[in-house]
Amino acid sequence: MGVVLRRLVAGLAAVVLVAEAAVLVLVHVVLGKTTSNQSMSIAGMDPNVMSMATYAMGAGIGAFLLLCAVLLAVAAVRDRAPGTFARVVLVTAAVTHGVLGALAVGLVGWGAFAVTMVILCLLVLTLMLYAAQGAAGKPAGGASGGPGAPPAGFGELKPTNP
């Protein structure tokens, strides 16, 4: 059951992140077009610069979310824990979703908060399920004497493993 759950959650998170990337890119395109068509300016900034910055931000966030989705899909297909770089990227995405969720509840509403928190939960659950597996594809802790094994007990005290 653990293998199926890990793969299912990682695959679902990848699909959801691809959908989120598409929605956010579309939102940024609409905002960029609106800024360009209305010749909007904030504090005298050039509307073309603001429009291009909006497009660039949409492309950047879309690329970041697609990178996260690819890393999750690779983890789901291989059923191996993400490497160090992938974990850093996924933790960054999780923290970003936490902050965006806090902002969304005040600026957009509870629906946006709920969607953002579902994505956050999928990211954290994926990281936790693969953390229990261990980075090398073996259960966390390893065999005694292995590189991931806890140190031998000192006298009467022995380390515990949850």
Side-chain angles (χ1 to χ4, degrees), residues 27-123:
V27 165
H28 280 83
V29 167
V30 168
L31 288 173
K33 285 284 188 194
T34 304
T35 303
S36 178
N37 291 339
Q38 296 294 323
S39 295
M40 293 180 182
S41 175
I42 297 177
M45 286 183 63
D46 184 19
N48 290 332
V49 171
M50 291 178 58
S51 176
M52 288 308 212
T54 303
Y55 294 144
M57 184 58 110
I61 193 71
F64 176 71
L65 291 173
L66 287 178
L67 172 66
C68 292
V70 166
L71 294 173
L72 287 169
V74 167
V77 169
R78 292 183 181 171
D79 194 35
R80 291 187 57 194
T84 303
F85 173 74
R87 281 192 305 256
V88 168
V89 170
L90 294 173
V91 166
T92 302
V95 169
T96 303
H97 278 86
V99 171
L100 287 178
L103 291 173
V105 73
L107 297 174
V108 182
W110 287 102
F113 173 77
V115 170
T116 308
M117 290 301 108
V118 166
I119 297 169
L120 171 68
C121 289
L122 286 171
L123 288 169

Side-chain angles (χ1 to χ4, degrees), residues 6-20 65 68-70 72-73 76 90 118-127:
R6 277 195 309 260
R7 286 183 154 185
L8 179 68
V9 170
L12 182 62
V15 169
V16 168
L17 286 177
V18 168
E20 182 186 13
L65 291 173
C68 292
V70 166
L72 287 169
L90 294 173
V118 166
I119 297 169
L120 171 68
C121 289
L122 286 171
L123 288 169
V124 171
L125 184 59
T126 300
L127 289 168

